[in-house]
Amino acid sequence: MDSTAKTHLVGLDRHELAELCRTLGVPDRQVKMRVEQLWNWVYLRGATDFDQLTTLSKDLRATLAENCDLARPEVVTQQISVDGTRKWLIRFAPGIEVETVFIPDEDRGTLCISSQVGCTLNCTFCHTGTQKLVRNLTAREIISQMLIAKDSLEEWPHLTDRDAARKITNIVMMGMGEPLYNFDNVKKALLIISDNEGLSLSKRRITLSTSGVVPEIERCGREIGVMLAISLHGTTDDIRDKLVPLNKKYPIKELLAACKKYPGLSNARRITFEYVMLKDVNDSLADAKRLVKLLSGIPAKINLIPFNPWPGSPYECSDWETIEAFAEVVNRAGYASPVRTPRGRDIMAACGQLKSESEKQRASERRKAANAAAE
Ligand code: SAH
Ligand code: SF4
């Protein structure tokens, strides 16, 4: 079998692992046990090589090595910001690259995962939306981002004390791409990530951010069951149509009606509404008042995100006083600490900046290739 035809174990659920075992000739009565062993090695211990699978017989290890793959995708670069934020550029195949960001805080460590290469939605303030190439990531590619982060943070059971605190305590699907446009793969990946016997990150600590794909919102709650964040950014359809063009298809009223019906919604499980602060576009006190009015009746948190500029971006971030005045209105309406501190700006790892490094990288590779060709 050539290596491209090998089945990659990362991304397989229990059902698929069982099928694989049967195909490889594991006797029926052993399948259940083998599945649990493989699950443990792949998702709990982060194995990258079949030699590490010491609870399996030598023969089975050899069969697996011949037919399957466990290697990580290529990490093209890892950057560490002065504030401790880490960013990885990961290449799954030539030209198929995404960025993943880890943001350490005093009380938590948040991993920001991508769901697509690029994004089809073209929000006018977002760098990812300007990237032409778009493709859905597979479940393997989504999960691999977490595995790579755990490798880098040395967060595997055999590398840390049993009592050591987890470094990745939260996951946000807020990297590149629209997760609800890649529903099946995102669902599969998040169900594996939240499985108790593997990566075991609680669904309450996983947040999926959407620009408002209304028809998938209910399913997201029912079938995946993670926390929801909505990229709202505008308080009237006129403004939101310009910022988030998907609003023309699913306007604010429909979006909020879907939010109200989100399965599992309660005061303990609120929806986060993200609102990027754009100077003279959506940052007036009238906007702030409209925002709290729109959200009344929905168990909500509000996250004001200072706009992170990127080369050629058509907007500016609101002045700090404007953000404070806006936050004050939001605060008075009962929403606590609503402003999100930008992190990792020095390595272009902040919200909406993802893509540039890979593009730069590609540009520099093109230059290198051109130079090599010229020599
Ligand atoms: N596609 C999904 C998830 C990825 S974007 C979505 O849009 O929700 C994650 C968050 O970053 C979104 O709220 C997005 O609107 C915000 N964002 C995008 N570009 C930004 C920028 N330049 N500055 C600040 N936030 C930005
Ligand atoms: Fe896509 Fe989200 Fe960026 Fe909009 S904000 S272009 S939906 S990644």
Side-chain angles (χ1 to χ4, degrees):
M1 217 182 252
D2 87 330
S3 68
T4 53
K6 287 186 170 184
T7 307
H8 209 289
L9 296 194
V10 170
L12 300 190
D13 58 23
R14 285 192 176 80
H15 180 72
E16 290 164 324
L17 284 174
E19 292 243 324
L20 176 74
C21 286
R22 280 190 206 97
T23 317
L24 296 180
V26 173
D28 270 352
R29 64 192 150 76
Q30 285 185 12
V31 166
K32 197 159 175 263
M33 177 181 69
R34 296 298 178 220
V35 168
E36 286 317 310
Q37 287 172 324
L38 286 171
W39 191 270
N40 191 281
W41 283 113
V42 176
Y43 299 122
L44 183 70
R45 305 177 65 91
T48 52
D49 195 308
F50 292 101
D51 288 341
Q52 296 165 342
L53 277 49
T54 48
T55 54
L56 304 181
S57 70
K58 264 200 161 147
D59 283 353
L60 182 54
R61 265 185 271 161
T63 312
L64 283 165
E66 212 176 294
N67 296 285
C68 306
D69 191 359
L70 254 187
R72 298 276 188 266
E74 179 190 354
V75 178
V76 182
T77 53
Q78 169 179 268
Q79 288 173 280
I80 304 184
S81 155
V82 288
D83 70 12
T85 300
R86 294 182 186 212
K87 183 171 81 169
W88 300 272
L89 171 65
I90 303 171
R91 180 181 295 156
F92 299 113
I96 305 295
E97 295 162 0
V98 295
E99 291 180 323
T100 305
V101 179
F102 176 70
I103 307 145
D105 253 313
E106 269 164 39
D107 59 337
R108 64 175 63 194
T110 306
L111 188 68
C112 180
I113 287 186
S114 295
S115 56
Q116 297 181 309
V117 175
C119 185
T120 49
L121 285 172
N122 304 318
C123 300
T124 45
F125 53 87
C126 174
H127 206 192
T128 307
T130 66
Q131 187 166 317
K132 285 197 189 70
L133 181 71
V134 183
R135 126 137 141 59
N136 279 341
L137 296 184
T138 63
R140 176 206 162 199
E141 291 163 344
I142 296 168
I143 297 168
S144 292
Q145 297 173 60
M146 182 175 187
L147 305 185
I148 284 170
K150 282 172 76 91
D151 292 343
S152 161
L153 297 164
E154 303 190 336
E155 202 201 42
W156 294 110
H158 59 288
L159 298 176
T160 49
D161 293 342
R162 190 184 288 266
D163 299 326
R166 300 178 73 121
K167 291 179 184 150
I168 302 170
T169 61
N170 294 68
I171 282 188
V172 291
M173 296 294 297
M174 293 187 187
M176 299 163 67
E178 169 50 57
L180 295 186
Y181 273 1
N182 185 15
F183 193 95
D184 293 342
N185 292 326
V186 166
K187 170 181 167 181
K188 193 171 175 210
L190 293 182
L191 293 184
I192 290 174
I193 285 174
S194 58
D195 184 282
N196 271 335
E197 282 152 41
L199 292 158
S200 66
L201 198 77
S202 155
K203 288 182 182 181
R204 302 188 60 150
R205 291 178 170 270
I206 301 177
T207 303
L208 183 150
S209 175
T210 177
S211 54
V213 185
V214 167
E216 304 287 4
I217 287 180
E218 193 265 342
R219 241 181 111 204
C220 174
R222 186 164 38 85
E223 296 183 21
I224 314 181
V226 292
M227 308 297 285
L228 186 68
I230 299 284
S231 294
L232 191 63
H233 308 317
T235 57
T236 65
D237 283 325
D238 265 358
I239 301 177
R240 194 164 189 269
D241 279 351
K242 293 197 183 83
L243 300 177
V244 184
L246 187 66
N247 193 68
K248 292 182 201 146
K249 204 161 173 192
Y250 308 118
I252 293 176
K253 205 166 160 215
E254 283 178 33
L255 176 58
L256 296 182
C259 288
K260 278 192 183 130
K261 288 190 286 190
Y262 191 66
L265 191 60
S266 71
N267 279 335
R269 301 191 58 186
R270 294 163 189 260
I271 295 177
T272 302
F273 288 87
E274 299 163 276
Y275 196 92
V276 62
M277 299 297 296
L278 302 170
K279 188 175 188 169
D280 299 331
V281 175
N282 64 355
D283 61 354
S284 70
L285 289 180
D287 283 302
K289 287 175 191 155
R290 266 198 302 269
L291 176 63
V292 295
K293 208 166 159 201
L294 275 178
L295 300 187
S296 72
I298 304 178
K301 290 185 235 179
I302 295 178
N303 226 283
L304 303 178
I305 315 173
F307 171 64
N308 292 307
W310 33 275
S313 56
Y315 300 104
E316 279 176 69
C317 182
S318 309
D319 301 326
W320 195 246
E321 304 83 71
T322 311
I323 297 179
E324 278 187 332
F326 196 105
E328 175 64 25
V329 174
V330 170
N331 239 309
R332 262 190 274 127
Y335 300 93
S337 55
V339 185
R340 187 191 292 176
T341 325
R343 298 288 302 271
R345 273 187 171 177
D346 55 331
I347 57 166
M348 288 285 283
C351 305
Q353 292 185 318
L354 302 185
K355 116 157 190 175
S356 51
E357 274 309 316
S358 33
E359 293 264 309
K360 262 193 247 160
Q361 183 76 20
R362 267 198 285 280
S364 85
E365 269 170 16
R366 272 199 300 274
R367 269 197 305 277
K368 263 191 240 151
N371 288 342
E375 268 170 18

